[in-house]
Each structure stands twice: as C-alpha cells, then as structure tokens.
Amino acid sequence: MGALNEQSAVRSLQLGDARLTYVVDGAMGMLPESFLPEVPAEYWQEHPETLDEHGLVAMSAGGLLVERDGRRLLIDAGLGPVSGPTRVHGEPVGHTNSGALPETLAALGIAPHDIEAVAFTHLHADHTGWSFTPEKFFPDARYLVAAEEWAPHSRGETVPGAPAQDTIEPMKHAHTLISHGDEIFDGVHALVTPGHSPGHTSYVITAGNERVVVFGDVFHIPAQIAHPHWGSRPDSDSAAVMTARKRIAGELARPGTTGFAFHFGDQAFGRLTGTRWEPVATEAVLPTPRALG
C-alpha cells in the first residue's frame, strides 16, 4: 500500500471471482485551502503527512476496471489529456498532469472495444475525460448515467463542472439511464447518492460475502469521514452531501466491506475502523503513470 500524500499507482484487488484495478489516468494536486475551504488550517498543520512535497492534496484521476467472467466494466473515465492549472467555478484550486488512461489500459492488455459498459459516478470533467475524444472512445460500451444526474441536462440546464461541448453534447444520444438499485453488471448495483452533483452515483460490487463500495466524490479526503461537515468546493448541494456521506459511511461500516476512493492519494482501497480509513493490501501492477513535476 502507498501513502496518502502520493499519486496512486495502478493497483489491483481480487474480490472473489472479480478483479478490480484502478486504471490511473493522471495526477491532480489540489490547494487545500481552495479545494477544501471548510477544512480548518490547523488540520493541515497538525497532519503534514496528508500533503505532498508541494503542499498539495494528492488526488489521482482514473477509472476502476471491473473484470469478471471475461467481461469488463469501467467505472468512470478519468480526466483526459489535460495538464496545467485547475479551476473550479473560476477559482484556481490546483494543478493536473493527466492523459495516461489509454496507455494504462494497453499495459493491462485491454483495448477500448473490450469494455462492455462505462458507468459514471457523475459527469464532472475528471470522471468523464476519455468518454469522447471527440468520437466515442469506448466504441462498444454502453454509457450508464443515473436518471437524476442526467435530468438537468435534459432540461437544457448548465451544470458546473460538467463540460457541455466535450461530454454532454456528444452523450445526448449515447447514454443509457439507470436508477437506484439497478444491477448494471454482474454483481454491481447502483446506489444513487446525490449532493456532490445532482445524481451522483456510488456502486456496490459484491462477491459472496465480500463487497466493495465505489463512492466516487462523496468523500475527497479520508478526514471527511470523521468530519462530514467539511465540504469540497465542487459540491453542488451541501445538505445532500451530508446525507450521502452518512449513507456511505454506514455502507462502509458493514462487515466484509472495502471502499474504493478515486482521490485518496495512493490509498484508493481501504476499510473503516470507526471513522478512520485504513488502506488494505493491494497488488501494485504498474507504477504511477503521471507526476505533477
């Protein structure tokens, strides 16, 4: 297992007959006071191990590959070929260096046409980057989006963080709506957890008595598990985020449950001990594909 203040390696976890691999697309380093404005400054001072050498919060981007019985699902599609400063609502929040997802998949022996479905936690840019380039990047895949997440786009509304030209416009005629509780892939169920975005969706992957909860951006840093009132700048509905965090914390507390976090540095897979995130042992298949420099 790696460190919280490092960008993630490409790591795999075996869950019964399913293999889960974090297909890392690139590195994101966020300014703590800008991206997480509600976290007290004292927290960072008391926990210097949570920040990298540049004083940034390490938040990798990528997709979670689920392989089972020769079939393949990808949950989220990374940030895409983006590098340089990052802004949220026009405010500078950090830096990125991304674009490795295709080469990471290739190194794993996976081609875009091997992906049967891409299930999105939400439609923000760092989770949809490789969906269209501008053609559909995973040509044979169904693109699965929660009905609540798509609803504002169907009404013609602009949703901050969801790129209209690069993602929403091409996806209008290339998506399948899903609902809370749907089994979207063998042993994978949707759990709609709105708040960070209108229809943010978590996914529960089950194999026997073991489960992995993929919770997207319900939490951006482990400290938010113990302090759910510490919001993130991109959250669209702070009250709903609190409800989502309570729901996911309850799911993570159930026996036999591991969590998967896209943005928890090099500790993407972990379990809860009380409110503490404890990384679990995984196989480092490939090193970190991108660095901030």
Side-chain angles (χ1 to χ4, degrees):
M1 62 192 75
L4 184 62
N5 65 350
E6 296 176 346
Q7 299 295 328
S8 185
V10 177
R11 294 186 176 274
S12 287
L13 177 74
Q14 193 70 34
L15 184 75
D17 62 345
R19 185 170 177 84
L20 282 53
T21 304
Y22 188 15
V23 183
V24 178
D25 188 27
M28 299 194 302
M30 297 302 174
L31 295 161
E33 69 280 3
S34 297
F35 192 83
L36 298 156
E38 295 178 27
V39 178
E42 292 78 11
Y43 172 79
W44 306 113
Q45 296 166 6
E46 295 168 1
H47 299 277
E49 75 282 358
T50 61
L51 301 177
D52 69 11
E53 60 183 340
H54 307 292
L56 302 175
V57 182
M59 292 186 179
S60 295
L64 182 66
L65 177 67
V66 182
E67 299 178 275
R68 187 175 232 163
D69 296 329
R71 302 172 60 201
R72 299 176 180 92
L73 163 74
L74 188 66
I75 300 177
D76 285 346
L79 176 61
V82 177
S83 62
T86 301
R87 294 179 178 272
V88 172
H89 307 326
E91 296 293 327
V93 295
H95 302 274
T96 61
N97 180 16
S98 184
L101 188 137
E103 64 194 61
T104 303
L105 282 172
L108 297 170
I110 308 296
H113 64 76
D114 293 328
I115 303 298
E116 176 180 320
V118 179
F120 295 99
T121 60
H122 59 301
L123 299 178
H124 288 173
D126 59 318
H127 294 260
T128 59
W130 287 100
S131 52
F132 299 95
T133 60
E135 70 281 355
K136 191 178 179 185
F137 187 76
F138 302 98
D140 301 324
R142 293 175 301 137
Y143 282 8
L144 308 177
V145 182
E148 295 91 334
E149 182 73 359
W150 189 257
H153 303 291
S154 70
R155 298 189 294 265
E157 299 175 12
T158 298
V159 177
Q165 182 175 352
D166 296 334
T167 301
I168 303 306
E169 286 300 324
M171 197 177 284
K172 281 183 176 178
H173 304 292
H175 72 276
T176 300
L177 295 179
I178 60 174
S179 299
H180 180 85
D182 284 355
E183 184 174 24
I184 61 146
F185 189 76
D186 286 349
V188 182
H189 289 81
L191 182 64
V192 179
T193 48
H196 178 67
S197 67
H200 181 283
T201 306
S202 303
Y203 295 93
V204 181
I205 306 168
T206 305
N209 295 323
E210 297 292 315
R211 309 186 314 153
V212 169
V213 177
V214 182
F215 53 79
D217 284 5
V218 171
F219 301 105
H220 282 99
I221 58 173
Q224 290 172 323
I225 300 171
H227 303 278
H229 57 287
W230 288 355
S232 302
R233 186 173 292 276
D235 293 341
S236 66
D237 185 333
S238 57
V241 165
M242 291 286 288
T243 300
R245 289 178 175 174
K246 181 178 179 180
R247 174 68 185 273
I248 292 300
E251 292 288 340
L252 294 173
R254 290 176 53 181
T257 300
T258 299
F260 174 80
F262 286 98
H263 301 314
F264 282 17
D266 197 16
Q267 297 184 349
F269 293 94
R271 294 189 180 224
L272 278 195
T273 300
T275 57
R276 183 179 177 83
W277 180 260
E278 299 285 355
V280 301
T282 54
E283 178 187 358
V285 182
L286 297 167
T288 304
R290 292 284 192 275
L292 289 178

